[in-house]
Amino acid sequence: MPELLRMPEIAANTEEATLASWPVPERQPFRTADVIATVETAKAAVDVAAEADGVIIRMLVEPGTDVRVGDAIALLAAPDEQVDDVDAVLARLGVGAAAAAPVVAAPAVVVAEPVATNGNRVFASPLARRIAKEHGLDYETLTGSGPNGRITRRDVEAVLAQQPAVVAPATPSPPPTPVAGSHSRMRRAIAQRLTESKQTIPHFYLRGTARVDKLLALRAELNAVSPTKISVNDLVLKAVAIAHSEVDGVNAIWTDDGMRRFDSVDLGVAVATDDGLLTPVVRDVRRLSVGAVASATRELAERARTGGLRQAELEGGATTITNLGMYGTEEFAAIINPPQSSILAVGAARKEPVVNEEGELSVATVLRVTLSVDHRAIDGALAAQWMRVFLAVLEQPLRILA
């Protein structure tokens, strides 16, 4: 019997998402686990996989449309099922006449699309246009695989993968003139999440300073032999994972139903993108080598900037690391990313005068960090224990390799 495909709840508390594209045309059979729709949330493009073999009898939503979670977006049937009266089936399933009409290009969408040199309109998803622009690719010359020839993210990525020599870096263009009252979906989501964090999470802060000359020396030695360039931030992630493993009770978050504790140390990494800050999560950092951490963070950061993250890669973990040291910022405090219980703000490593244990003045490279903590999940004494272990690892960095 035909059934409705509804807009899934990609992430907790998500009320709506954008139907980005239909990778499978109407009336073309698909198999279990095939991607039949691509949905864009505030954070990423998410593929919706088929739960069983079937066919899309009718698409109810045009690409680029915002849809509330739970609303019908397509009518599905078994591959060999005959459906003579689609409108009658939709009516029986409670779908109104407006939604039952076949998907066609709406005028509001058409005027937003560019016109090719041959006079035909070129349709492309917002994500596809952005990726093409970032790589200097003229997407108007591409052939789209989406409905009605719409250019999708996969079309752009396929060209970039096959013809790297043709894709030259884009010429920087002047920043657009700000328009009062206009915000991207991602920016609105970030604003809502961080406002909620400050209003509902009782933050407290711990500051620490570590001498990191040995850490920087270790990094130089590792980079001399590592095929992947290792950053200070990669070493910081490993130090955080060690501290989370050694201090019981920190690798946890507060929920309304009780404390949730994690066995694996999964850490978010703040990545700045054109649309706002994203925090993809590196899994099981404690068990990864330094080189594996470096590879994972770079791969996630690249896909964060091109809009290629999956929603699952933006969820989980108890802590995020945010680093502004590359901008010369010495010290700052960050807002906790719900539902996590802490966030570590890392400043720049700077040479400063210090006093050693013998009371002698010398020069050392110091790194200042600030840990923002959810007092509901972690008490002050526990956070202080964590900070002591973390700073000790930074100052005795061979522990990172153990």
Side-chain angles (χ1 to χ4, degrees):
M1 178 177 178
E3 61 181 20
L4 295 173
L5 174 65
R6 298 184 181 276
M7 176 62 74
E9 184 179 19
I10 302 300
N13 301 319
T14 300
E15 296 183 355
E16 67 174 18
T18 302
L19 192 286
S21 65
W22 292 108
V24 179
E26 286 185 357
R27 304 288 178 174
Q28 176 176 306
F30 54 77
R31 304 296 298 273
T32 302
D34 283 352
V35 175
I36 57 176
T38 300
V39 175
E40 290 183 7
T41 68
K43 294 182 177 180
V46 180
D47 291 332
V48 178
E51 297 181 355
D53 294 357
V55 61
I56 298 177
I57 298 298
R58 179 175 293 176
M59 298 168 183
L60 306 178
V61 175
E62 182 184 357
T65 304
D66 292 340
V67 183
R68 292 186 62 82
V69 169
D71 284 359
I73 58 176
L75 179 65
L76 307 181
D80 56 353
E81 187 172 3
Q82 184 68 32
V83 181
D84 297 323
D85 192 340
V86 176
D87 292 338
V89 173
L90 288 170
R92 190 165 59 249
L93 293 173
V95 177
V103 171
V104 295
V109 175
V110 170
V111 298
E113 299 286 354
V115 180
T117 54
N118 61 4
N120 296 325
R121 295 192 181 278
V122 178
F123 296 89
S125 72
L127 188 58
R129 292 200 299 270
R130 188 176 73 184
I131 296 174
K133 181 179 179 181
E134 289 173 351
H135 290 80
L137 179 64
D138 183 3
Y139 67 85
E140 297 180 15
T141 63
L142 305 183
T143 300
S145 60
N148 300 317
R150 187 180 181 88
I151 299 167
T152 67
R153 168 171 55 94
R154 291 180 183 80
D155 299 324
V156 177
E157 291 176 345
V159 173
L160 294 174
Q162 295 174 6
Q163 302 178 12
V166 177
V167 183
T171 302
S173 58
T177 302
V179 178
S182 63
H183 297 291
S184 68
R185 172 187 294 272
M186 183 184 297
R187 177 56 63 187
R188 291 196 303 269
I190 292 171
Q192 180 179 0
R193 186 175 70 251
L194 296 184
T195 299
E196 178 185 354
S197 175
K198 288 295 288 184
Q199 290 176 342
T200 62
I201 296 178
H203 287 58
F204 73 94
Y205 308 91
L206 283 80
R207 292 173 174 80
T209 303
R211 302 181 187 183
V212 293
D213 294 283
K214 292 181 180 179
L215 185 80
L216 297 179
L218 174 63
R219 176 186 177 239
E221 291 185 29
L222 291 173
N223 279 331
V225 296
S226 174
T228 303
K229 184 178 180 181
I230 296 169
S231 69
V232 171
N233 210 52
D234 298 325
L235 299 176
V236 169
L237 259 69
K238 287 292 295 181
V240 169
I242 292 172
H244 266 55
S245 298
E246 295 186 2
V247 181
D248 187 41
V250 175
N251 194 27
I253 62 174
W254 170 274
T255 72
D256 292 337
D257 298 325
M259 295 289 291
R260 181 183 178 188
R261 304 184 184 278
F262 302 101
D263 294 326
S264 172
V265 181
D266 303 334
L267 300 177
V269 181
V271 179
T273 73
D274 292 340
D275 292 327
L277 193 69
L278 294 178
T279 54
V281 177
V282 183
R283 307 293 176 184
D284 207 4
V285 176
R286 183 67 180 93
R287 299 181 184 276
L288 294 179
S289 67
V290 177
V293 170
S295 297
T297 55
R298 274 147 193 72
E299 195 264 340
L300 287 170
E302 174 61 26
R303 289 196 287 115
R305 296 186 181 102
T306 59
L309 289 175
R310 296 182 293 275
Q311 189 69 33
E313 294 172 320
L314 294 159
E315 299 175 344
T319 302
T320 287
I321 292 82
T322 177
N323 192 330
L324 295 180
M326 68 286 294
Y327 300 107
T329 301
E330 297 181 25
E331 184 179 355
F332 69 105
I335 301 173
I336 297 170
N337 185 27
Q340 295 183 344
S341 58
S342 62
I343 184 169
L344 183 72
V346 182
R350 300 169 61 89
K351 289 191 176 296
E352 296 182 4
V354 297
V355 178
N356 60 25
E357 295 179 356
E358 289 74 31
E360 298 172 336
L361 186 65
S362 61
V363 176
T365 306
V366 300
L367 182 71
R368 290 185 173 83
V369 298
T370 302
L371 183 70
S372 305
V373 187
D374 182 350
H375 212 321
R376 300 171 304 177
I378 303 172
D379 293 332
L382 183 61
Q385 293 176 40
W386 181 92
M387 181 65 78
R388 181 174 60 188
V389 173
F390 170 69
L391 296 176
V393 174
L394 292 184
E395 294 188 344
Q396 303 166 22
L398 289 180
R399 294 177 59 182
I400 292 173
L401 304 182

